[in-house]
Amino acid sequence: MNQFQYVRPAETSGAIKSIALDTNAHFLAGGTNLIDLMKMGIIAPERLVDINNLPLKTIENIPGHLRIGTLVTNTQVAENQFIKENFPLLSMAINAGASPQLRNMATTGGNLLQRTRCPYFFDTTMPCNKRVPGSGCGALEGYNRMHAIFGASDKCIAVNPSDMNVALTALNALVHVSGPKAARTIPFADFHRLPGDHPELDTTLQKGELITSVDIPTVPFTKNVYYLKVRDRSSYAFALVSAAVALNIENNTIQDVRLAMGGVAHKPWRLIATETFLKGKTVSEETFKQAAQIAMEGAKAYEHNKFKLKLAPNALLQALKTASGLKA
Amino acid sequence: MPPDSDGVPNKTRRDFLKKSSFLTAAAFVPVTVVNAAVNQWDEKLASVFEKTSLHLEVNGLALNLSVEPRTTLLDLLREQLNLTGTKKGCDRGQCGACTVHADGMRINSCLSLAVTNEGKKITTIEGLSKGQELHPMQEAFIKHDGFQCGYCTPGQIMSAVALIKEGHAGSEMEIREYMSGNICRCGAYPNIVNAIQEVKTGGLS
């Protein structure tokens, strides 16, 4: 690992000022992704601004929202009693990811900024437009079993690796950021980007901006929720596909629904058209099967990930059945 | 380098040290300049001044240390403190061999920069026993043959001790799920689960 300057400011303003001093500076929180990338030589910051002393570590109930500070760890979120009772989808998604050790270290803001696990991104001998813009995409014609089936471009077919992000997009979260300019709030759907011509940009964060908290509107999806993650081993592996389902069911009718998938796109993949289809419908296996087909509109597979065209709708169908109680 | 109160570092000290040592050399003979560049003396000199102070409690012992910011907690424990019980497996947070407790929580010490643990209490496998008396989890691993080659064992035991405290050792399924961050390539998993279950139910305590 290259040498770097290390600073540990105590105030958010100091952290933002410090990052602005250097074009090659990074914020450091849990480090579970950043330190790995530095060891692999994928990034080599000149300065790390350790934000672990900033006062951004609380979970608060504010009117209409639950506010999670950027430094709250994944374990603290998943194990929080209020979150387990009121946002069980979030707890389930977080617990489906990584290991207990990593969840103890990883933070809320850091999880939002996880880089892809595409092997071509990690292999510095291979071309990768995300790592070295303009160098090409190794996965496009290479081994692309783990890769995207939605929203990819000819520059990049990598997927976002986070489970937490899939739940947060379904829950309409808001991302609060501070930076050299005015603080702003980014709707979750606009926070991560599709690769397009600039796969080096994972998010719409501007240079020097720091995530300060994530808000979740207190719309209760408490009972009929499920996060299904399909992977190569039963724990501690990235998703081949995952499905987040939150339903509000009254008298066997779907009053409200939120759906998102993971492991299928460069960003957590919200299924708005499928939600619209399901709203007002009666709970039935046939309806859910139709919904799963609608969810797949526009899907495109590559040489080694054609199985995802079957696995994804099946996963969504299973998650819908489990969440609704059709299947125990 | 200690941060300033507002977090803005003495931004050019490293550059200054590198340049000044280089310029000093340049004032003498060209050979010195070449040697300085070839041997990266400027880098080495700068690094001496770049160590950061670090206060840690490791296995109950308060320590005042000086570390390079890029040193991981794992390398600090093994290379500077000679606590080689904590193992380096993948060095990428994927195998769990480096698991230690920081303020009672299990973490992968390979992905934690030592400096970010300022003021914390670190417990390693060496800190579990009381003198010659093994921790119940260590006893249980021996009794149930919870290892073969033993390389992953310190990490497994540190993880297992934390697991019971966390309250996730309710069933075999739950134990397996919450131990999934510790890989054992000898495949001692069934015996590891048995050892944890025995300690959980109060055996060997």
Side-chain angles (χ1 to χ4, degrees):
Chain A
M1 196 190 303
N2 285 0
Q3 297 227 32
F4 50 83
Q5 283 189 331
Y6 171 81
V7 292
R8 191 192 301 138
E11 297 295 332
T12 305
S13 58
I16 289 165
K17 220 193 285 178
S18 183
I19 210 101
L21 288 172
D22 202 323
T23 53
N24 194 10
H26 282 254
F27 291 119
L28 170 69
T32 54
N33 194 203
L34 187 69
I35 302 302
D36 188 25
L37 293 170
M38 287 168 67
K39 284 185 180 182
M40 300 294 287
I42 294 156
I43 52 168
E46 302 255 320
R47 176 183 303 139
L48 287 190
V49 180
D50 179 353
I51 61 167
N52 285 296
N53 277 4
L54 304 187
L56 304 168
K57 296 181 180 173
T58 53
I59 299 176
E60 298 170 85
N61 256 312
I62 55 171
H65 289 85
L66 180 77
R67 176 161 296 171
I68 303 171
T70 197
L71 290 171
V72 179
T73 66
N74 288 181
T75 298
Q76 287 166 340
V77 175
E79 297 284 330
N80 181 280
Q81 200 53 37
F82 185 83
I83 290 174
K84 282 203 275 193
E85 284 164 16
N86 294 279
F87 305 94
L89 184 66
L90 181 58
S91 277
M92 287 169 108
I94 290 175
N95 280 329
S99 69
Q101 291 97 312
L102 290 169
R103 295 195 294 268
N104 279 343
M105 304 168 77
T107 62
T108 302
N111 197 323
L112 259 63
L113 298 176
Q114 265 191 91
R115 308 303 309 272
T116 185
R117 302 287 162 159
C118 173
Y120 296 92
F121 176 68
F122 273 88
D123 186 343
T124 53
T125 65
M126 287 294 197
C128 171
N129 287 320
K130 190 179 278 300
R131 181 166 32 78
V132 183
S135 63
C137 172
L140 206 53
E141 302 290 328
Y143 188 59
N144 44 37
R145 179 170 176 269
M146 299 294 288
H147 292 73
I149 53 172
F150 291 112
S153 75
D154 59 0
K155 300 279 194 299
C156 180
I157 60 172
V159 298
N160 186 293
S162 168
D163 293 294
M164 186 185 82
N165 288 347
V166 183
L168 286 178
T169 196
L171 295 170
N172 276 345
L174 299 165
V175 185
H176 294 293
V177 304
S178 286
K181 294 175 192 163
R184 62 189 183 114
T185 303
I186 309 169
F188 208 84
D190 300 332
F191 184 80
H192 295 94
R193 5 176 356 272
L194 288 177
D197 286 334
H198 290 284
E200 72 277 13
L201 302 173
D202 292 347
T203 71
T204 54
L205 269 188
Q206 300 295 306
K207 176 70 194 157
E209 280 185 328
L210 174 70
I211 299 169
T212 52
S213 65
V214 174
D215 280 9
I216 308 174
T218 36
V219 178
F221 288 96
T222 54
K223 191 166 162 256
N224 296 113
V225 302
Y226 198 64
Y227 186 77
L228 176 66
K229 183 175 181 180
V230 185
R231 44 193 159 173
D232 283 330
R233 56 186 183 195
S234 61
S235 181
Y236 199 19
F238 290 100
L240 293 167
V241 301
S242 67
V245 171
L247 300 163
N248 268 334
I249 300 171
E250 275 171 44
N251 302 322
N252 215 32
T253 302
I254 298 165
Q255 303 292 335
D256 200 359
V257 51
R258 304 281 182 75
L259 304 171
M261 298 192 84
V264 294
H266 194 261
K267 61 189 283 184
W269 195 246
R270 182 80 181 266
L271 303 168
I272 299 285
T274 317
E275 292 175 12
T276 308
F277 166 79
L278 279 174
K279 238 173 245 178
K281 295 272 193 313
T282 303
V283 170
S284 80
E285 178 151 3
E286 197 43 49
T287 302
F288 288 159
K289 277 184 180 164
Q290 287 175 33
Q293 288 316 309
I294 291 168
M296 294 307 290
E297 278 169 18
K300 182 195 168 200
Y302 299 86
E303 188 179 352
H304 303 103
N305 69 350
K306 292 191 177 72
F307 70 97
K308 286 193 181 185
L309 298 178
K310 273 190 184 171
L311 190 62
N314 282 349
L316 182 61
L317 175 62
Q318 288 301 318
L320 279 163
K321 283 167 71 177
T322 308
S324 64
L326 268 185
K327 171 178 171 277
Chain B
M1 181 188 301
D4 289 349
S5 56
D6 66 351
V8 180
N10 304 327
K11 70 184 179 99
T12 57
R13 181 152 75 169
R14 176 178 178 72
D15 290 342
F16 171 77
L17 285 166
K18 286 167 71 170
K19 281 175 194 152
S20 62
S21 58
F22 187 79
L23 288 174
T24 311
F28 296 103
V29 285
V31 170
T32 321
V33 181
V34 174
N35 281 344
V38 168
N39 296 324
Q40 296 185 312
W41 288 343
D42 50 349
E43 277 290 338
K44 286 172 188 165
L45 182 62
S47 74
V48 170
F49 287 89
E50 280 204 329
K51 287 201 171 177
T52 302
S53 66
L54 172 64
H55 308 89
L56 278 185
E57 191 183 309
V58 179
N59 298 333
L61 211 63
L63 301 171
N64 292 326
L65 302 162
S66 177
V67 297
E68 272 190 46
R70 63 178 169 176
T71 308
T72 62
L73 180 59
L74 173 62
D75 286 341
L76 172 74
L77 291 168
R78 289 182 56 87
E79 308 294 333
Q80 284 192 47
L81 304 180
N82 292 322
L83 293 169
T84 53
T86 306
K87 300 302 182 210
K88 183 181 277 195
C90 68
D91 205 24
R92 296 191 57 199
Q94 296 178 355
C95 76
C98 67
T99 303
V100 300
H101 299 173
D103 285 346
M105 289 204 312
R106 49 174 161 160
I107 62 165
N108 296 120
S109 62
C110 72
L111 288 183
S112 180
L113 294 179
V115 283
T116 61
N117 291 282
E118 171 68 32
K120 287 191 182 167
K121 292 181 178 168
I122 308 297
T123 307
T124 70
I125 189 75
E126 291 92 341
L128 276 191
S129 60
K130 291 177 188 149
Q132 293 300 305
E133 188 190 333
L134 293 180
H135 186 279
M137 193 61 78
Q138 293 172 307
E139 294 275 17
F141 266 65
I142 294 168
K143 180 179 166 190
H144 290 275
D145 206 11
F147 49 86
Q148 185 173 307
C149 83
Y151 196 80
C152 72
T153 311
Q156 298 278 3
I157 290 176
M158 296 311 288
S159 214
V161 169
L163 165 73
I164 289 181
K165 254 193 251 163
E166 291 159 10
H168 285 298
S171 64
E172 184 190 334
M173 281 259 295
E174 199 180 23
I175 290 170
R176 284 179 175 271
E177 171 59 35
Y178 281 84
M179 286 297 288
S180 70
N182 293 82
I183 310 289
C184 170
R185 286 295 80 146
C186 301
Y189 298 115
N191 298 358
I192 292 171
V193 172
N194 290 343
I196 294 170
Q197 279 181 321
E198 173 149 5
V199 177
K200 169 71 176 21
T201 53
L204 296 169
S205 60

